[in-house]
Amino acid sequence: MSEKLESLRQLLAAKLGDKIQHSVIANGELTVVVPAAEYMAIAYLLRDDPDLRFEQLVDLTGLDYSTFSGQDFSTRFAVAVHLLSVSRNLRLRVRALAPDDSFPMLDSLCEVWPSANWFEREAFDLFGIVFRGHPDLRRILTDYGFVGYPFRKDFPISGYVEMRYDQEQGRVVYQSVTIEPRENTPRIVRDDNYGNSGRG
């Protein structure tokens, strides 16, 4: 398998040249990092080039590298796209870093692979990554009035608001989170004869 991935890596290097910022084979997968400005053009090439033919986008997700201790990334947010070439039986991960941390934005891949639609909406909803040219970019998993992006590393585990049904108002209301800090030490309760085998 590694020979197949290495030959794919060399083929991509020949086709894309210096447009590949970084490539690595790890855990039986090839990952290439491409610049945000070339993201859409590279997607078309990966789909349409007869030597590559990545016909299917299998997955797309956002990434937050704000607390990442591995490779040094110049920006905080990125998108990883998992592609499949059915005709060549190859898989590829393409990663592009959003250039602006305060307003992360990349081109939408919906016109290249229509399956990107809901994945990009999910990345927008959970990470706040905007996809330029998306046909219907709106939240897909969180509530209508939700504030923030819950998969960002700086989003509090308890959230900012909670909701409850108010009997007097007859509707659901939002309020600040009221969760008290809890002690997570387990309490062990044992029978009096625990561990006693019954022998004298």
Side-chain angles (χ1 to χ4, degrees):
M1 181 58 125
S2 60
E3 291 175 15
K4 196 172 186 180
L5 290 176
E6 187 56 45
S7 64
L8 175 60
R9 176 150 84 175
Q10 291 172 5
L11 179 62
L12 288 171
K15 298 274 185 187
L16 299 173
D18 60 354
K19 291 180 182 177
I20 296 178
Q21 296 175 321
H22 179 71
S23 68
V24 64
I25 297 174
N27 302 318
E29 298 177 335
L30 173 60
T31 302
V32 294
V33 180
V34 300
E38 302 287 341
Y39 181 58
M40 176 72 91
I42 290 171
Y44 274 115
L45 182 118
L46 291 172
R47 184 193 70 181
D48 298 338
D49 189 288
D51 295 329
L52 298 170
R53 290 183 292 186
F54 285 96
E55 305 99 344
Q56 189 171 0
L57 183 143
V58 178
D59 190 21
L60 180 149
T61 188
L63 301 161
D64 181 354
Y65 288 114
S66 62
T67 60
F68 188 66
S69 62
Q71 183 180 342
D72 183 32
F73 291 103
S74 57
T75 59
R76 175 177 174 180
F77 296 103
V79 168
V81 179
H82 294 238
L83 303 175
L84 172 65
S85 173
V86 177
S87 55
R88 300 200 63 224
N89 191 25
L90 292 170
R91 291 181 182 269
L92 174 67
R93 180 184 299 116
V94 178
R95 188 168 53 220
L97 294 136
D100 184 2
D101 289 349
S102 62
F103 190 72
M105 183 188 300
L106 289 165
D107 290 325
S108 172
L109 299 181
C110 288
E111 66 181 57
V112 185
W113 296 286
S115 61
N117 190 321
W118 280 32
F119 293 123
E120 288 179 349
R121 284 182 62 188
E122 182 182 50
F124 166 70
D125 190 4
L126 301 178
F127 290 93
I129 300 169
V130 176
F131 293 91
R132 185 185 305 111
H134 191 284
D136 185 22
L137 193 62
R138 58 192 162 104
R139 290 191 182 267
I140 192 170
L141 294 173
T142 56
D143 193 25
Y144 298 110
F146 193 87
V147 176
Y149 304 103
F151 278 14
R152 288 189 176 186
K153 300 276 178 80
D154 55 1
F155 191 83
I157 293 174
S158 60
Y160 295 112
V161 295
E162 63 186 13
M163 61 184 206
R164 64 175 177 79
Y165 183 78
D166 188 296
Q167 289 285 356
E168 292 176 11
Q169 297 182 38
R171 65 181 184 90
V172 172
V173 295
Y174 291 88
Q175 64 190 36
S176 297
V177 175
T178 57
I179 296 174
E180 301 278 328
R182 290 179 266 176
E183 186 176 325
N184 291 328
T185 306
R187 183 174 164 228
I188 300 170
V189 178
R190 294 193 173 126
D191 295 334
D192 292 338
N193 293 327
Y194 178 80
N196 185 355
S197 64
R199 294 184 208 155

